[in-house]
């Protein structure tokens, strides 16, 4: 039996109920729509932002710093290396979150968090915990509690560096203490710090690094920055609300790749000897500057280099000038090898040919310029001109080759050019007058005036004489070792042929005679054949723009042993003080120092291999 249809009376009676149902349905539809929209907004539209917030709060990106490569001398002695340290910092957001802070403070007080919540307001809870942090950290960092409290409460987010360069053993002890004291929000991350065991020794060659960027600023640190710099690694970790790491959520670790190790040509044992001699002679002669360089004639390698500079009051800029590569001076008579090499190479003179060196003073009739010698030399062979350092004889030899030939040979011997040691040493190329010469220039330049050079340039020029005529590039990088242990030798580089082998042989003979019978007798050594040339140039005052009477730059440049040269050495004592100015000569001041440095250098090189063998037999590093 079918249900009868409602009549109009029944419909009128049910109408309010239908309205309420429609209204309820509408509310449900609206609520459901809002819920769907909200879910969509959270899950889709806002998802990246919320994920980032979660990462910021619980995830940590840790940079794993790479170690910059080491710098060592030729005996493997460390000159610069990176040490691992720890840096402690606090995450302010963590220590301002009331829930974990209350939880840790309740533990400290041996009570439940709910009970602590009933006793202390949120503000008082945070203050109490921050006071606890300041007290705990203050005892470790040796800092006032009030200062630390101010640091961790001045803002509510970000991070504050608490301690740098904490040794790793100490850092491990601190972490144990933090756990015992319920310290949260204080984290450790690895750092490295550049260390220079050589300290001030050779500082201008080794260089330095920027503390912020860890990049080389000068010296080898700058020259080899690309090889020394490693590639940092990284790691992501997640922490819980209390700051504890969650190992299960540890992200992929990208290991750091350390930089290459650099071995220098410098021998620090020899360097220490040269430094001591340089310091002693600098003080003894009360000089403006003292500079000593020892190089290998066949490779151009720098074995040792030391310099001292007298500072003017309130002025310390020259202390940061590498005097070996940038300390310019007029080489004086040590430059005469260039004039004679040009004349011998061009066959304008022969070694035994006689030159009239006049009687100490001679007036050049065409240039109308006086030329002076220290002694009456009379007629001398070309060799005698060099041995007795005759300015008059050298000028007469120069007249046969002329200006262009001399300039050509100045370039061949590396004057007016950089030595190829590379960037980072503030190198100066010196001055060679390629322009118009005055009348005095024709008499001065051939004997080493109106020319400026660095000690390293002169050492390499004498190296060319010692090795048979080849000018070598300056070399300070001996080898490079990659992180996987492969070593690549940096080969010596020849710049070019400065003079013929025959001319070099003549000049070696001349230079030995300087020591045996000429102006450099004080450079002689028993049992070692020594060759070299004295230099005494008048000192030019840059402020007064003139040469100063009785003030000189004394020098001696040479090599030994003559039959098989092992070392080239140049000694420069700038403006030494003596009771009698006649004693201020290269042969009297610089030659004896040269002899001592060369004797110590050859002895050291002869025993260096044996020292390594002995050390290896004793179980040390070979």
């Amino acid at each position: 039996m079918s249900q009868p249809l409602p009549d109009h009376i029944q419909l009128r009676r049910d109408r309010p109920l239908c309205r309420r149902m429609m209204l309820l349905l509408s509310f449900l539809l609206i609520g459901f729509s809002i819920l769907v929209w909200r879910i969509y907004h959270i899950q889709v539209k806002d998802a990246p932002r919320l994920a980032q917030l979660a990462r910021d709060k619980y995830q940590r990106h840790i940079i794993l710093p790479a170690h910059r490569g080491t710098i060592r001398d030729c005996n493997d002695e460390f000159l610069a290396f990176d040490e691992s340290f720890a840096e402690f910092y606090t995450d302010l957001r963590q220590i301002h979150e009331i829930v974990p802070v209350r939880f840790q403070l309740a533990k400290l007080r041996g009570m439940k968090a709910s009970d602590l919540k009933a006793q202390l307001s949120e503000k008082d809870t945070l203050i109490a915990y921050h006071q606890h942090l300041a007290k705990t950290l203050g005892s470790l960092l040796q800092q006032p509690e009030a200062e630390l409290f101010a640091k961790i409460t001045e803002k509510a987010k970000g991070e504050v560096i608490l301690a740098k360069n904490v040794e790793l053993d100490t850092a491990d002890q601190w972490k144990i203490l933090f756990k015992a004291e319920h310290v949260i929000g204080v984290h450790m991350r690895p750092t490295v710090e550049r260390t220079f065991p050589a300290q001030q020794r050779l500082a201008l060659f080794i260089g330095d690094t920027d503390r912020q960027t860890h990049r080389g600023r000068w010296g080898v640190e700058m020259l080899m920055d690309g090889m020394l710099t490693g590639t940092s690694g990284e790691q992501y970790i997640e922490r819980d609300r209390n700051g504890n790491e969650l190992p299960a959520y540890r992200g992929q670790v990208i290991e750091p790749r350390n930089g290459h190790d650099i071995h220098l040509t410098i021998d620090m044992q020899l360097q220490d000897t040269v430094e001591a001699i340089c310091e002693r002679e600098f003080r003894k002669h009360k000089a403006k500057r003292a500079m000593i360089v020892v190089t290998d004639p066949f490779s151009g390698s720098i074995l040792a280099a030391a310099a001292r500079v007298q500072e003017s009051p309130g002025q310390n800029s020259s202390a940061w000038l590498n005097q070996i590569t940038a300390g310019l001076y007029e080489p004086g008579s040590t430059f005469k090898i260039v004039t004679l090499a040009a004349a011998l190479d061009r066959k304008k003179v022969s070694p035994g040919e006689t030159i009239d060196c006049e009687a100490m003073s001679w007036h050049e009739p065409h240039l109308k310029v006086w030329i002076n010698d220290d002694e009456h030399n009379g007629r001398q062979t070309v060799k005698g001109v060099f041995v007795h350092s005759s300015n008059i004889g050298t000028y007469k030899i120069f007249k046969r080759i002329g200006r262009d030939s001399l300039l050509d040979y100045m370039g061949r011997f590396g004057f007016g050019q950089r030595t190829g040691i590379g960037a980072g040493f503030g190198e100066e190329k010196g001055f060679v007058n390629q322009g118009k010469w005055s009348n005095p220039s024709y008499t001065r330049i051939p004997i080493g005036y109106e020319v400026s050079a660095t000690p390293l340039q002169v050492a390499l020029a004498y190296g060319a004489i010692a090795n048979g005529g080849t000018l070598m590039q300056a070399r300070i990088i001996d080898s490079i070792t990659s992180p996987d242990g492969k070593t690549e030798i940096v080969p010596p580089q020849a710049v070019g042929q400065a003079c013929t082998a025959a001319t070099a042989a003549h000049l070696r003979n001349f230079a030995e005679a300087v020591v045996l019978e000429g102006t450099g007798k004080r450079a002689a050594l028993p049992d070692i054949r020594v060759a070299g040339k004295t230099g005494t140039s008048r000192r030019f005052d840059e402020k007064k723009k003139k040469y100063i009477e009785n003030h000189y730059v004394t020098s001696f440049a040479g090599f030994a042993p003559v039959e098989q040269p092992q070392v080239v050495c140049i000694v420069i004592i700038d403006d030494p003080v003596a009771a009698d100015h006649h004693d201020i000569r290269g042969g009297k001041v610089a030659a004896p120092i040269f002899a001592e440095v060369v004797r110590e250098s050859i002895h050291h090189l002869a025993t260096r291999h044996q020292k390594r063998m002995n050390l290896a037999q004793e179980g040390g590093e070979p």
Side-chain angles (χ1 to χ4, degrees):
M1 188 173 177
S2 60
Q3 184 74 21
L5 294 172
D7 55 17
H8 67 279
I9 297 172
Q10 182 68 38
L11 290 173
R12 190 180 303 115
R13 188 180 302 139
D14 292 343
R15 192 169 295 162
L17 177 62
C18 290
R19 287 197 189 98
R20 286 197 291 273
M21 289 176 66
M22 289 297 293
L23 184 62
L24 178 61
L25 182 61
S26 297
F27 279 125
L28 287 174
L29 284 174
I30 292 171
F32 183 74
S33 297
I34 292 173
L35 180 63
V36 170
W37 176 85
R38 185 59 182 162
I39 290 173
Y40 165 78
H41 196 274
I42 292 173
Q43 294 292 328
V44 180
K45 195 171 181 180
D46 237 10
R49 185 181 66 83
L50 295 174
Q52 185 62 46
L53 284 174
R55 281 196 294 272
D56 291 346
K57 192 169 184 179
Y58 297 111
Q59 196 176 61
R60 291 289 178 271
H61 178 218
I62 298 178
I63 299 294
L64 304 176
H67 279 219
R68 192 173 172 83
T70 63
I71 300 175
R72 313 181 197 191
D73 81 338
C74 64
N75 296 314
D76 227 19
E77 180 180 338
F78 284 95
L79 305 177
F81 63 90
D82 274 3
E83 278 191 280
S84 293
F85 289 99
E87 181 177 86
F88 281 87
Y89 66 100
T90 180
D91 184 335
L92 296 179
R93 182 160 43 191
Q94 275 189 313
I95 63 173
H96 284 80
E97 276 192 26
I98 185 60
V99 174
V101 165
R102 181 184 290 127
F103 183 71
Q104 297 301 328
L105 188 60
K107 279 186 175 181
L108 274 171
R109 299 189 176 185
M111 58 195 303
K112 292 182 179 178
S114 55
D115 294 338
L116 183 66
K117 185 177 181 181
Q119 292 180 12
L120 290 179
S121 67
E122 290 187 2
K123 182 180 178 183
D124 290 340
T125 301
L126 289 175
I127 290 175
Y129 189 71
H130 293 160
Q131 287 174 339
H132 168 67
L133 281 182
K135 183 178 180 182
T136 304
L137 296 173
S139 62
L140 292 177
L141 306 179
Q142 301 295 311
Q143 291 182 23
E145 286 183 35
E147 186 178 316
L148 279 170
F149 183 82
K151 275 186 181 179
I152 61 180
T153 57
E154 63 181 355
K155 53 186 179 180
K157 61 182 180 179
E159 67 175 41
V160 172
I161 305 297
L162 298 173
K164 294 182 176 180
N165 300 335
V166 180
E167 292 184 357
L168 298 183
D169 290 344
T170 304
D172 289 339
Q173 295 172 9
W174 286 12
K175 286 198 291 186
I176 294 171
L177 179 66
F178 289 163
K179 190 172 183 180
E181 293 293 331
H182 300 284
V183 171
I184 61 170
V186 177
H187 306 294
M188 184 202 83
R189 58 190 167 206
T191 61
V192 294
E193 185 75 11
R194 199 66 168 164
T195 301
F196 298 91
Q199 297 180 345
Q200 296 302 315
R201 298 178 301 162
L202 212 65
L204 293 178
F205 276 100
I206 298 172
D208 196 6
T209 56
D210 186 288
R211 287 184 176 275
Q212 298 297 324
T213 64
H214 216 48
R215 306 305 294 261
R217 298 168 63 195
W218 71 77
V220 174
E221 293 280 16
M222 176 180 171
L223 176 67
M224 303 302 293
D225 190 62
M227 303 297 285
L228 287 164
T229 302
T231 305
S232 297
E234 62 180 6
Q235 179 185 19
Y236 284 94
I237 63 171
E238 292 205 18
R239 299 181 185 276
D240 62 15
R241 300 180 68 176
N242 294 324
N244 300 314
E245 183 185 350
L246 300 172
Y249 295 93
R250 184 177 293 172
Q252 182 185 2
V253 177
I254 300 176
E255 295 291 345
R257 183 173 172 79
N258 296 333
H260 293 61
D261 295 330
I262 307 296
H263 280 84
L264 305 186
T265 59
I266 297 288
D267 185 321
M268 286 306 290
Q269 294 178 19
L270 179 59
Q271 175 70 26
D272 287 343
T273 302
V274 173
E275 291 270 7
I277 294 173
C278 188
E279 174 70 18
R280 184 194 68 207
E281 297 297 329
F282 172 67
R283 294 185 179 281
K284 174 183 172 183
H285 294 288
K286 301 177 182 176
K288 293 283 192 305
R289 294 184 296 175
M291 297 168 278
I292 302 176
V293 188
V294 182
T295 63
D296 180 323
F298 291 92
S299 66
S301 302
I302 301 172
L303 305 179
R308 297 291 185 275
V309 182
Q310 185 183 97
E311 288 297 331
S312 302
Q315 181 182 2
N316 60 3
S317 58
S318 55
W320 294 101
L321 183 72
N322 189 327
Q323 296 289 337
I324 305 302
T325 60
L328 297 173
Y329 77 109
E330 286 181 312
S333 293
T334 57
F335 180 82
K336 289 173 181 172
I337 57 164
V338 179
T339 307
L340 266 71
L344 290 167
D345 251 13
R346 299 284 169 93
K347 300 189 184 306
K348 298 297 184 182
V349 294
S350 61
E353 183 180 347
T354 302
I355 305 290
D356 185 359
C357 297
E358 311 290 345
M360 291 188 68
S361 293
W362 179 62
H363 188 257
E364 214 288 344
H366 301 290
L367 300 176
K368 303 185 186 308
V369 176
W370 282 96
I371 309 174
N372 300 308
D373 281 336
D374 276 353
E375 57 184 334
H376 180 191
N377 290 309
R379 297 188 69 80
Q380 294 283 345
T381 61
V382 170
K383 178 180 177 180
V385 169
F386 190 77
V387 169
H388 296 285
S389 198
S390 170
N391 296 330
I392 299 169
T394 303
Y395 166 71
K396 289 187 175 181
I397 292 172
F398 158 72
K399 285 182 66 179
R400 300 190 186 185
I401 59 173
R403 173 183 179 274
D404 291 343
S405 288
L406 182 60
L407 286 173
D408 178 25
Y409 274 79
M410 290 169 77
R412 288 175 179 231
F413 276 92
F415 290 92
Q417 303 167 12
R418 290 190 170 86
T419 62
I421 190 173
F425 304 99
E427 186 178 25
E428 293 285 347
K429 63 180 182 180
F431 173 74
V432 170
N433 186 357
Q434 301 277 359
K436 186 177 180 181
W437 287 16
S438 65
N439 283 0
S441 297
Y442 286 89
T443 63
R444 291 173 180 170
I445 293 176
I447 62 173
Y449 282 94
E450 294 190 20
V451 178
S452 66
T454 66
L456 186 57
Q457 283 177 322
V458 177
L460 293 171
Y462 273 77
I465 300 301
N467 69 24
T470 303
L471 181 69
M472 303 300 297
Q473 273 192 9
R475 180 171 176 267
I476 194 167
I477 307 300
D478 183 66
S479 63
I480 302 169
T481 302
S482 65
D484 54 9
K486 294 179 181 177
T487 297
E488 179 185 354
I489 302 295
V490 178
Q493 298 285 333
V495 177
Q497 197 68 22
C499 63
T500 64
T503 294
H506 285 311
L507 288 172
R508 287 198 298 274
N509 177 259
F510 293 1
E512 184 177 17
V514 170
V515 176
L516 294 176
E517 57 192 77
T519 56
K521 292 177 182 175
R522 298 188 185 193
L525 288 170
D527 304 324
I528 298 175
R529 291 174 60 192
V530 174
K533 182 71 188 76
T534 54
T536 307
S537 56
R538 296 174 64 191
R539 199 166 194 279
F540 188 79
D541 190 305
E542 293 291 345
K543 292 181 179 177
K544 297 179 181 177
K545 300 297 179 187
K546 67 176 184 179
Y547 289 97
I548 306 300
E549 197 70 25
N550 298 330
H551 288 259
Y552 301 94
V553 179
T554 63
S555 61
F556 192 96
F559 47 87
V562 174
E563 65 276 19
Q564 191 175 1
Q566 294 180 29
V567 294
V568 173
C569 176
I570 179 167
V571 175
I572 300 164
I573 305 296
D574 185 358
D575 202 15
V577 176
D580 184 349
H581 68 83
H582 292 99
D583 291 333
I584 305 175
R585 294 290 183 273
K588 294 182 178 179
V589 176
I593 304 170
F594 171 91
E596 183 181 2
V597 173
V598 167
R599 183 190 68 222
E600 295 295 328
S601 299
I602 291 178
H603 174 72
H604 176 75
L605 293 177
T607 59
R608 184 167 66 179
H609 177 68
Q610 188 60 43
K611 287 177 182 174
R612 289 179 179 174
M613 292 291 292
N614 292 342
L615 191 59
Q617 289 167 4
E618 291 168 4
E621 291 291 333

